[in-house]
Amino acid sequence: MKKLVVAILFLGMCSTGLKAQEITVFSGTWGPEFYQDQKKLNWKEVDALMMGNSVSEMHWKKSKKNLLGGMIFGAVNFGAGIWAISNEVNNKPLTEPAIAFGVSALIGSIFGQSALKNKKMAILKYNDSLGKETSFYLVPTSNENGLGLALKF
């Protein structure tokens, strides 16, 4: 009887330890906010989780590269805006700065959207790779026979 009780307790401990810890993303004031089991994660923790998972690593790396490209073209866009303002003040033509401003904004937004898409895909792949919870779990129960634990499938 003792062996059966120990085996059930061991099985219960194992089944509670196998729950998946998915990552949830919410839009925040300064960008996306990541949570795992109601605990807020910082960028380093999320990066470590994504790089530790071979399924999501490719999408996460691609997202980081696209974000860098978007930031570079955002800086170019900022410079083109200053160039346009400078030309306006000095009564020079605005055609070239306006074209540079528009093209850099378009390319930067394409990179930014691609970064967001790859980031979402990496998180979805990470969550999918965790698998489902176990097909069985222990539930406290009481009936005419007394209190106990029921193994539910």
Side-chain angles (χ1 to χ4, degrees):
M1 185 69 174
K2 287 184 182 181
K3 288 182 182 180
L4 180 62
V5 171
V6 170
I8 290 174
L9 287 175
F10 180 73
L11 185 65
M13 289 179 163
C14 290
S15 68
T16 57
L18 294 176
K19 290 185 179 178
Q21 297 180 352
E22 292 186 347
I23 294 177
T24 309
V25 182
F26 296 106
S27 296
T29 306
W30 305 108
E33 295 178 350
F34 302 96
Y35 291 88
Q36 186 176 36
D37 293 337
Q38 300 178 357
K39 177 186 170 249
K40 188 174 181 178
L41 301 175
N42 62 29
W43 277 98
K44 289 181 181 179
E45 293 170 333
V46 174
D47 190 49
L49 286 172
M50 292 298 145
M51 297 307 275
N53 188 323
S54 61
V55 177
S56 62
E57 181 179 5
M58 178 187 68
H59 292 289
W60 191 254
K61 283 182 179 179
K62 195 182 288 187
S63 171
K64 287 167 59 173
K65 288 178 185 176
N66 287 337
L67 186 61
L68 179 63
M71 290 171 65
I72 289 171
F73 277 99
V76 169
N77 185 265
F78 184 72
I82 292 174
W83 183 23
I85 291 170
S86 173
N87 280 3
E88 177 68 27
V89 169
N90 295 329
N91 292 326
K92 293 183 180 177
L94 294 175
T95 307
E96 293 165 345
I99 290 172
F101 187 82
V103 169
S104 63
L106 178 66
I107 294 173
S109 64
I110 290 171
F111 272 108
Q113 287 299 321
S114 181
L116 285 175
K117 184 183 96 174
N118 283 313
K119 191 177 297 177
K120 287 179 188 177
M121 187 59 76
I123 291 171
L124 289 173
K125 294 287 185 184
Y126 174 82
N127 289 342
D128 284 345
S129 73
L130 294 175
K132 306 293 181 211
E133 291 185 10
T134 59
S135 60
F136 58 90
Y137 51 96
L138 294 173
V139 176
T141 185
S142 66
N143 57 20
E144 64 274 355
N145 296 328
L147 297 174
L149 293 174
L151 188 62
K152 288 203 169 188
F153 294 92

